Amino acid sequence: MLNSINPTQTNAWKKLKKLFEETKHIQMRDQFASEKDRAGRFSVSWNDFYFDYSKNRIDDTILQTLFQLAEECGVYEAIESMFLGEPINTTENRAVLHTALRRPETDKVIVDKINVVPQIQDVLKRMKSFAKKVRNGQWKGYSGKRIKNIVNIGIGGSDLGPQMVAEALKPLQQENLELFFVSNVDPSHIYQVLKKVNPEETLFLIASKTFTTQETMLNAHTAKNWFIKNTMQEDAIGLHFAAMSTNKKAVQAFGIDPENRFEFWDFVGGRFSLWSAIGLPVMIGIGPDNFKELLSGAHDMDNHFKTEKEKNTPLIMALLGIWYQSFYGCDTLAI
């Protein structure tokens, strides 16, 4: 369980308030003019990443005090607790283990006395097999045509994460595959997509942990009705629909073959879910090998986050966010 610490009551916060008043009028051009080594001091080179935060309204004292704030609030203990699988999601009393999704298959991560890594690897292997069949044309629609269109239907983390990665890695996408993402409950969104695809060549992926999410299921049933209307092949739903969900019964009732249901777990928060089965459209698009590289890169960053102190890139970004939001009153961050 995490310690509940009010950051505004810490010594670091009081010091930051004073530092803000002393430095809020300083201009960036003056800082660069007086600090010739500023870019080197306020940057992190790590693997293929170069993170430059020198153009932020900070100095050495402010940065050290922000790290002091992290220390006083128990951030380092919280990081350790997260990686150990302790229930740091205090509202739901759950572990927060998107990091486990990226761990090598030889690792161990214990949740409720069970090593969850074998479960994760099992789903990844099933995803890989499924993705390969779609990509090489072995998976065919009801008419014998290969799949050319992948339509992901989800909302929130089941849409935004995989859509962002699919867009970022578009140069790696297989040329004869087109990925579409539908999330908006406004029917115009899904109808615009359905106008572009042939039902004989389209695979729908329904992404919903409970398979009861209203917006997602409304779009899923719209897609199902469209498919049946245009093909008169209700029995072929299993060839054109798959699911990423924990609700086996509801997935089966929809008409999806249980073999084409890919599960994930309560310790996977929505905003972090693209690393789980929710990433299936990405894996189909860029291929299992590239998806494995994606997981491996994320695992490297997990280790960086876990072990680094003053060169901890995600932590620095978070502390800068606190500095601007809580002291400068900024509502929006540009990254």
Side-chain angles (χ1 to χ4, degrees):
M1 187 64 69
L2 294 181
N3 291 324
S4 182
I5 299 168
N6 184 342
T8 64
Q9 300 304 308
T10 61
N11 292 327
W13 194 275
K14 292 165 190 167
K15 191 173 175 183
L16 286 167
K17 283 177 77 173
K18 187 180 176 188
L19 287 167
F20 170 70
E21 291 300 328
E22 291 172 357
T23 62
K24 64 182 179 181
H25 302 299
I26 292 175
Q27 297 294 313
M28 289 303 310
R29 64 175 67 90
D30 296 332
Q31 287 184 289
F32 272 94
S34 61
E35 304 170 43
K36 300 302 181 187
D37 62 341
R38 183 173 177 83
R41 288 203 339 273
F42 297 112
S43 62
V44 178
S45 293
W46 173 80
N47 288 6
D48 293 332
F49 287 90
Y50 176 68
F51 172 50
D52 176 7
Y53 58 100
S54 62
K55 299 168 186 68
N56 284 282
R57 299 171 73 90
I58 57 169
D59 57 23
D60 292 299
T61 306
I62 292 168
L63 185 62
Q64 288 307 313
T65 310
L66 286 168
F67 275 112
Q68 181 189 334
L69 177 67
E71 190 84 52
E72 289 184 43
C73 289
V75 166
Y76 299 108
E77 292 82 0
I79 291 172
E80 187 177 352
S81 295
M82 182 180 79
F83 280 94
L84 287 172
E86 294 175 7
I88 67 166
N89 177 342
T90 53
T91 55
E92 297 174 326
N93 195 35
R94 289 178 182 168
V96 179
L97 275 176
H98 49 285
T99 56
L101 302 170
R102 301 158 343 192
R103 297 280 280 265
E105 57 186 318
T106 52
D107 279 10
K108 277 187 179 181
V109 180
I110 307 299
V111 178
D112 296 329
K113 300 180 181 178
I114 296 170
N115 179 18
V116 298
V117 173
Q119 300 173 34
I120 293 166
Q121 291 299 319
D122 180 59
V123 173
L124 276 171
K125 284 170 188 169
R126 291 180 54 239
M127 288 168 62
K128 180 178 178 180
S129 174
F130 184 82
K132 277 187 169 181
K133 288 176 186 174
V134 175
R135 286 169 60 83
N136 67 21
Q138 188 180 342
W139 186 284
K140 291 181 170 60
Y142 75 93
S143 66
K145 292 183 178 180
R146 70 182 293 158
I147 298 298
K148 292 182 180 177
N149 306 297
I150 310 295
V151 180
N152 188 83
I153 298 175
I155 197 167
S158 298
D159 168 76
L160 293 168
Q163 185 176 1
M164 180 269 290
V165 173
E167 185 65 29
L169 301 182
K170 208 153 195 174
L172 300 176
Q173 188 173 307
Q174 187 164 304
E175 286 186 10
N176 61 351
L177 285 173
E178 193 70 40
L179 266 60
F180 301 91
F181 291 85
V182 174
S183 60
N184 200 326
V185 72
D186 185 329
S188 66
H189 193 189
I190 191 164
Y191 287 130
Q192 288 300 316
V193 171
L194 295 178
K195 281 198 300 188
K196 297 174 183 175
V197 299
N198 179 345
E200 296 176 68
E201 303 170 329
T202 301
L203 175 66
F204 294 93
L205 303 177
I206 316 302
S208 171
K209 183 183 279 190
T210 61
F211 223 68
T212 57
T213 311
Q214 282 186 317
E215 298 90 342
T216 298
M217 296 319 298
L218 178 61
N219 282 326
H221 283 288
T222 299
K224 181 180 176 181
N225 293 337
W226 170 86
F227 177 82
I228 294 169
K229 181 182 176 183
N230 284 276
T231 65
M232 306 300 289
Q233 299 285 332
E234 189 168 357
D235 291 343
I237 292 293
L239 293 173
H240 292 268
F241 285 79
M244 296 85 89
S245 177
T246 58
N247 193 337
K248 183 178 179 180
K249 198 172 178 182
V251 167
Q252 203 162 354
F254 187 89
I256 295 172
D257 187 332
E259 286 296 308
N260 302 329
R261 177 185 71 91
F262 301 91
E263 64 182 316
F264 50 111
W265 304 270
D266 284 342
F267 56 73
V268 181
R271 72 191 65 189
F272 306 115
S273 59
L274 79 90
W275 312 98
S276 68
I278 293 296
L280 183 59
V282 177
M283 184 187 279
I284 294 172
I286 67 174
D289 290 342
N290 283 323
F291 192 81
K292 187 178 180 180
E293 286 291 304
L294 180 70
L295 293 176
S296 177
H299 177 61
D300 287 346
M301 177 53 84
D302 289 336
N303 286 332
H304 167 83
F305 177 59
K306 183 181 178 182
T307 58
E308 283 290 342
K309 289 291 188 281
E310 295 194 353
K311 291 291 185 181
N312 191 320
T313 308
L315 180 57
I316 293 168
M317 293 174 77
L319 292 172
L320 289 173
I322 291 169
W323 178 237
Y324 286 121
Q325 290 176 318
S326 298
F327 296 91
Y328 279 93
C330 297
D331 294 324
T332 304
L333 298 180
I335 300 174

